[in-house]
């Protein structure tokens, strides 16, 4: 069903800030007593099947999910909680203070070395 252009201009998707990784971690955390195949996770989270393996592999490299072929499960819940607290704190600070530039950090680090 179409919406007016005024509604369009005001529209903010509720999933706008919900990344594939967040959807996967949330799904696995909510189902922490089970393990799933990648295709099942993709279907449950509405993550494209072509994207699910890279997402899962990145999460595994960060210790947020575990993998035993062909199944995936949530990682250590304390580690997951800490990652989400860190991310939400970073988002809050970016919103309040502005984002930081990687280039500025590298320039400052280089100046400290001199």
């Amino acid at each position: 069903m179409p919406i007016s252009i005024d509604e369009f201009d005001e529209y903010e998707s509720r999933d706008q800030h919900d990344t594939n990784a967040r959807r996967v971690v949330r799904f696995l955390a909510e189902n922490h007593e089970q393990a799933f195949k990648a295709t099942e996770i993709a279907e449950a989270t509405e993550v494209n099947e072509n994207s699910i393996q890279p997402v899962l592999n990145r999460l595994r490299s960060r210790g947020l999910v575990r993998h035993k072929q062909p199944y995936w499960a949530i990682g250590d819940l304390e580690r997951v909680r800490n990652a989400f607290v860190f991310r939400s704190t970073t988002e809050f600070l970016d919103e309040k203070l502005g984002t930081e530039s990687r280039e500025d950090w590298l320039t400052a680090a280089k100046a400290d070395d001199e």
Side-chain angles (χ1 to χ4, degrees):
M1 180 167 110
I3 61 174
S4 73
I5 197 65
D6 292 333
E7 289 174 299
F8 173 79
D9 288 339
E10 299 292 321
Y11 181 76
E12 198 170 316
S13 170
R14 73 181 160 90
D15 293 332
Q16 182 177 354
H17 302 291
D18 206 15
T19 65
N20 288 345
R22 284 185 190 183
R23 291 197 311 249
V24 168
V25 170
R26 187 178 302 113
F27 170 76
L28 290 174
E30 289 170 354
N31 296 282
H32 65 274
E33 304 234 349
Q34 296 177 293
F36 300 86
K37 293 181 179 180
T39 55
E40 295 169 328
I41 297 168
E43 184 178 322
T45 59
E46 298 180 355
V47 172
N48 183 298
E49 282 195 40
N50 294 325
S51 301
I52 197 69
Q53 286 294 339
V55 169
L56 288 167
N57 286 325
R58 274 195 319 271
L59 292 170
R60 181 177 60 178
S61 73
R62 294 179 179 132
L64 301 178
V65 300
R66 297 177 289 154
H67 179 58
K68 290 184 181 179
Q69 190 66 24
Y71 295 100
W72 295 85
I74 195 67
D76 176 67
L77 290 175
E78 182 69 18
R79 186 177 188 120
V80 171
R81 186 187 71 76
N82 289 342
F84 272 79
V85 167
F86 176 79
R87 181 67 182 177
S88 64
T89 301
T90 302
E91 288 173 351
F92 170 78
L93 292 173
D94 284 348
E95 183 180 308
K96 295 296 179 189
L97 304 174
T99 59
E100 295 185 2
S101 162
R102 176 173 163 68
E103 290 75 30
D104 290 347
W105 274 93
L106 293 174
T107 300
K110 194 175 205 179
D112 286 346
D113 287 340
E114 296 174 352

